[in-house]
Amino acid sequence: QDYSFQPSHYTSARSLGTWLQEQGIPGIYGVDTRAVTKLIRTQGSTLGKIEIEGSMLADSFEFTDPNLQNLSAVVSCTEKQVFLPPPLEDGCANPEQEASSIANKDVHILAVDCGIKNNIIRYLVNILRVKLTLVPWDYDFSKEEFDGLFLSNGPGDPTHCTTTIDH
């Protein structure tokens, strides 16, 4: 689809381009997103720059390759955190989904944060009702006691997480 410079919805007050400009958000159009998706699927993440006609050349800007960084270290929590399920209201538990106890013992999951999504934390704690201990990507959990270990996925190249693998 082509970008429409004129808003067509009867309730619109301005075009998308005008709104983006007012918010200070850059936008582009005329890009074949299907071709970009196919490129990423076949070649993996691809580095690139967008040049705007009449502006400085892309070669004059520093180019940072995020694949050379340990992105898990950038997005991981920095200290140990413990999440407990909220108290149950009468009749609110769903025993088919609940994993809160095994052999009458509360379940304790240790999650290594390599870029964990908040929704995963919410699901484990509020729906499955487990005690969750979240630790940074480089935390030595070998002496911790827990019932299950959750290694979260995260951004970047996992080969940078050798500290996590060593633990």
Side-chain angles (χ1 to χ4, degrees), residues 48-135:
K49 291 183 184 180
I50 298 173
E51 282 189 33
I52 300 170
E53 191 174 328
S55 66
M56 296 175 66
L57 294 177
D59 293 339
S60 63
F61 292 101
E62 184 179 328
F63 199 70
T64 303
D65 183 352
N67 297 315
L68 301 178
Q69 291 179 288
N70 181 353
L71 295 176
S72 292
V74 174
V75 300
S76 178
C77 64
T78 56
E79 55 190 38
K80 182 177 173 180
Q81 301 171 49
V82 177
F83 297 90
L84 299 172
L88 275 177
E89 295 178 20
D90 290 336
C92 289
N94 183 352
E96 294 171 2
Q97 284 186 319
E98 194 168 315
S100 62
S101 63
I102 295 174
N104 296 324
K105 177 185 158 213
D106 288 340
V107 173
H108 178 207
I109 303 295
L110 187 127
V112 180
D113 181 7
C114 293
I116 194 168
K117 303 279 192 275
N118 287 332
N119 200 43
I120 294 172
I121 297 170
R122 282 192 295 269
Y123 185 80
L124 290 170
V125 175
N126 296 332
I127 304 299
L128 295 183
R129 303 194 50 74
V130 301
K131 174 184 176 184
L132 180 73
T133 302
L134 185 67
V135 297

Side-chain angles (χ1 to χ4, degrees), residues 9-25:
H9 193 272
Y10 72 96
T11 62
S12 60
R14 59 191 171 272
S15 70
L16 174 62
T18 303
W19 182 84
L20 289 171
Q21 194 170 24
E22 289 170 358
Q23 302 300 314
I25 301 171

